[in-house]
Amino acid sequence: MRALEALRQLSRELQAAGLQEPQREALALLQGLLQIELTALYRENPSLSQEELERLREAASRRARREPLQYILGWVDFAGLRLRVGPGVLIPRPETELLLQHALALAPKDRPIEVAEPCSGSAALALALAKALPLAQVWATECSQEALGWARLNLRQLGLEQRVHLLHGDLLEPLRGMSFDLLLGNPPYVPTGKLRGLQPEVSLWEPRQALDGGPDGLDIIRRILREAPSVLRPGAWLLLELGGQQEAAALARKAGLRDIQLKEDLAGQVRFLLCRKPL
Ligand SMILES: C[S@@+](CC[C@H](N)C(=O)[O-])C[C@H]1O[C@@H](n2cnc3c(N)ncnc32)[C@H](O)[C@@H]1O
């Protein structure tokens, strides 16, 4: 079968499975799995082997079960980096790139700095930050061994072992006794009661411990804000991604943090908390 015919067939299968954008996804699967450039696809319309057709059929049936496209492809692009992802780790989201941009705007660039990133998942933030700040050393923590496996793969692939340190453990516990110039994190923040209402790609496939933030979504955020002052240097910034929880600002104030700001994402939702330890 030729590639364009396979593309149309894949698109029909994804449409029949009820997916919203079957053509775009079929093209992404065909290009991503078979490494066919768009121009080559339309100009040359190559013949596909039985093995290639089988890979497309398998991908279609995985996607029909609402497995995320990124797990099927095995990668996602984040802040210009291609990261490996799969079951067991959260797929880094575009809004988290905005968190990274806020952190880069505030981070000192003229001297070596030490950065903490609890709740690291695939290590997307830690790696992108280290890539953008050549003088930074980053310590990332993660409680899930499965997620850490993906993070280690990404760390090796990007060759940042000298400057990004992945630690297994609970939030800031592995960093006890250390101090940092910057702390950023994207903790789980979905209120438990809202988990079932998420789209199936998220609720059925992504790890619950990457999403579940407790009854009000603030369980982990509350703990980070309480524990962070003991590892922040005077004047150090702390940035967290939120799921709309404006109460995070009051929690930061209660923890003795200052210069508190809430920032919105591109959709106008309160998405980020920025604050810092007083000088
Ligand atoms: C929302 S995900 C964010 C992952 C990654 N930073 C990103 O933005 O793609 C939250 C991550 O925190 C981890 N996590 C949850 N509770 C934790 C805890 N108590 N200590 C360390 N990591 C935790 C989860 O396993 C998950 O990988």
Side-chain angles (χ1 to χ4, degrees):
M1 187 187 291
R2 296 229 168 226
L4 283 173
E5 193 187 340
L7 179 68
R8 285 182 209 113
Q9 187 170 310
L10 187 56
S11 174
R12 281 195 297 273
E13 283 172 36
L14 297 181
Q15 185 168 33
L19 298 178
Q20 296 292 306
E21 298 182 282
Q23 281 177 357
R24 185 187 66 77
E25 291 208 27
L27 185 60
L29 283 170
L30 190 111
Q31 285 190 282
L33 293 175
L34 307 185
Q35 311 298 320
I36 302 179
E37 296 278 340
L38 198 58
T39 39
L41 175 66
Y42 286 105
R43 278 211 197 122
E44 295 155 27
N45 191 13
S47 247
L48 301 186
S49 67
Q50 276 311 315
E51 189 265 329
E52 287 173 321
L53 290 169
E54 187 46 46
R55 283 170 67 194
L56 292 180
R57 265 193 291 274
E58 194 213 329
S61 81
R62 286 172 70 181
R63 193 65 194 96
R65 291 194 299 275
R66 303 302 288 265
E67 184 170 348
L69 185 71
Q70 295 88 340
Y71 283 180
I72 299 170
L73 292 173
W75 51 261
V76 63
D77 287 326
F78 179 85
L81 304 179
R82 182 147 291 190
L83 300 173
R84 297 284 311 276
V85 289
V89 72
L90 187 102
I91 299 161
R93 306 291 204 266
E95 50 270 30
T96 305
E97 293 194 31
L98 292 181
L99 177 68
L100 174 73
Q101 293 310 321
H102 284 301
L104 292 177
L106 294 170
K109 299 179 192 63
D110 52 350
R111 60 179 170 89
I113 58 164
E114 291 172 298
V115 181
E117 198 237 331
C119 300
S120 189
S122 62
L125 277 170
L127 294 167
L129 192 111
K131 201 83 184 158
L133 298 178
L135 297 179
Q137 289 280 335
V138 187
W139 276 265
T141 76
E142 171 56 55
C143 69
S144 152
Q145 288 286 15
E146 239 181 320
L148 260 183
W150 291 104
R152 289 196 185 106
L153 208 58
N154 288 319
L155 177 63
R156 275 200 302 276
Q157 193 160 288
L158 293 168
L160 284 165
E161 293 97 328
Q162 301 301 314
R163 293 197 297 114
V164 175
H165 314 280
L166 301 174
L167 305 170
H168 179 241
D170 182 29
L171 297 187
L172 303 176
E173 179 61 32
L175 309 177
R176 197 190 283 206
M178 300 177 71
S179 49
F180 297 92
D181 304 285
L182 175 69
L183 184 153
L184 78 167
N186 174 21
Y189 54 65
V190 181
T192 308
K194 291 195 173 164
L195 287 172
R196 272 202 289 156
L198 299 173
Q199 54 185 10
E201 282 80 354
V202 183
S203 62
L204 298 179
W205 289 92
E206 292 197 277
R208 186 181 173 122
Q209 64 188 348
L211 303 166
D212 190 350
D216 57 2
L218 284 164
D219 277 8
I220 301 284
I221 290 167
R222 209 175 265 117
R223 284 189 52 207
I224 293 177
L225 289 171
R226 214 171 33 227
E227 295 168 20
S230 69
V231 299
L232 292 177
R233 293 188 175 130
W237 284 96
L238 179 158
L239 293 86
L240 293 179
E241 186 168 324
L242 309 170
Q245 293 95 345
Q246 307 199 10
E247 309 89 302
L251 294 171
R253 198 163 301 116
K254 200 169 149 203
L257 298 160
R258 295 294 176 262
D259 296 331
I260 299 165
Q261 302 162 51
L262 291 169
K263 300 265 186 201
E264 296 179 350
D265 61 17
L266 299 177
Q269 157 104 312
V270 170
R271 182 66 68 187
F272 309 108
L273 169 74
L274 281 55
C275 52
R276 66 165 152 176
K277 186 164 168 168
L279 279 168

